Amino acid sequence: GQQVMQIPQYQHVQEGEDFTTYCNSSTTLSNIQWYKQRPGGHPVFLIQLVKSGEVKKQKRLTFQFGEAKKNSSLHITATQTTDVGTYFCAGPGGAGSYQLTFGKGTKLSVIP
Amino acid sequence: GAVVSQHPSRVICKSGTSVKIECRSLDFQATTMFWYRQFPKQSLMLMATSNEGSKATYEQGVEKDKFLINHASLTLSTLTVTSAHPEDSSFYICSARDYLQGTNTEAFFGQGTRLTVV
């Protein structure tokens, strides 16, 4: 079945440094979604990318979808302590499925 | 926006007892809901897909008789952990998507249930 690989698993950064997490799929994705889970919380939807090569920004967060629609990245500029959490990418499940296939997530720690 | 409510948020139970977790879609109808389990520092593991009016679809390795799922209405799915044991202690999260908004719609997650079996 479809797999979504996400790296790195953990990232510790000094406050103010940049952060990037990468997501790769074994198959072409029709779309990719990104979620953030704060410590002790539940995943919350951040954004969805649909078009090949698409780039979307949300303040300090930049999301990219690869040209081949097999990879994606989330980049945070000048991290803040409020960015702490685990970031998950998710692609559609198999054909006809309503499921989402989640990457293992990248846990971001920000050192003040 | 759409909201999914999960209850209870925390539960401590004795080994051998059963625990029911509820997942409600508050402002949309969810013909399909998903139940995940999350171990500490790990990703979301899909346990089963809950289908309104029919049997749930379980992922490989998930015991159907242990994790009973009922989806009796378009807004409510329940997960019952039967004869719970300490190894069942985990964070259980449900999610639902409002397919009236399209098949690529975002997933809304419940707040999660922290189950501790003692």
Side-chain angles (χ1 to χ4, degrees):
Chain A
Q2 177 176 282
Q3 293 185 5
V4 176
M5 311 299 291
Q6 191 173 353
I7 57 170
Q9 190 174 357
Y10 300 98
Q11 186 80 56
H12 304 275
V13 299
Q14 203 75 33
E15 188 173 17
E17 291 181 340
D18 293 354
F19 159 77
T20 305
T21 173
Y22 301 90
C23 193
N24 290 285
S25 169
S26 56
T27 60
T28 301
L29 301 169
S30 59
N31 66 85
I32 193 160
Q33 298 181 355
W34 285 91
Y35 293 80
K36 177 182 179 181
Q37 184 177 21
R38 294 181 184 275
H42 59 280
V44 174
F45 175 80
L46 292 177
I47 209 161
Q48 176 173 267
L49 303 172
V50 179
K51 299 177 183 177
S52 169
E54 188 171 13
V55 178
K56 286 188 176 180
K57 292 190 176 184
Q58 289 180 351
K59 297 183 180 179
R60 295 178 294 102
L61 277 61
T62 302
F63 303 84
Q64 290 189 327
F65 202 9
E67 294 289 342
K69 301 183 73 173
K70 283 189 172 184
N71 57 64
S72 181
S73 65
L74 158 58
H75 179 83
I76 302 178
T77 304
T79 55
Q80 299 176 359
T81 54
T82 53
D83 296 324
V84 164
T86 301
Y87 294 85
F88 294 96
C89 60
S97 167
Y98 291 131
Q99 295 175 9
L100 286 172
T101 300
F102 283 86
K104 289 190 179 297
T106 298
K107 185 175 181 179
L108 172 64
S109 300
V110 179
I111 306 165
Chain B
V3 176
V4 171
S5 177
Q6 187 174 340
H7 177 81
S9 59
R10 289 181 178 272
V11 59
I12 301 173
C13 71
K14 291 184 177 180
S15 187
T17 61
S18 296
V19 174
K20 180 185 282 188
I21 303 169
E22 292 188 349
C23 182
R24 295 180 184 273
S25 56
L26 296 186
D27 53 2
F28 66 99
Q29 293 181 338
T31 54
T32 303
M33 290 187 177
F34 304 95
W35 287 96
Y36 295 87
R37 184 173 180 176
Q38 188 174 36
F39 292 100
K41 300 181 181 180
Q42 294 192 24
S43 186
L44 300 159
M45 185 192 81
L46 179 66
M47 298 175 64
T49 301
S50 174
N51 304 299
E52 187 269 334
S54 64
K55 292 182 179 179
T57 305
Y58 289 82
E59 296 300 299
Q60 193 172 10
V62 178
E63 297 177 59
K64 300 179 184 180
D65 296 332
K66 180 161 194 61
F67 299 100
L68 299 178
I69 291 173
N70 184 281
H71 195 151
S73 78
L74 287 170
T75 59
L76 174 64
S77 175
T78 61
L79 168 68
T80 301
V81 182
T82 63
S83 186
H85 289 99
E87 56 265 31
D88 298 324
S89 299
S90 191
F91 191 54
Y92 294 87
I93 316 178
C94 67
S95 81
R97 303 167 79 183
D98 184 0
Y99 299 112
L100 289 179
Q101 303 300 320
T103 55
N104 291 336
T105 188
E106 67 194 84
F108 296 98
F109 286 84
Q111 299 91 329
T113 298
R114 176 76 58 191
L115 171 63
T116 303
V117 184
V118 298

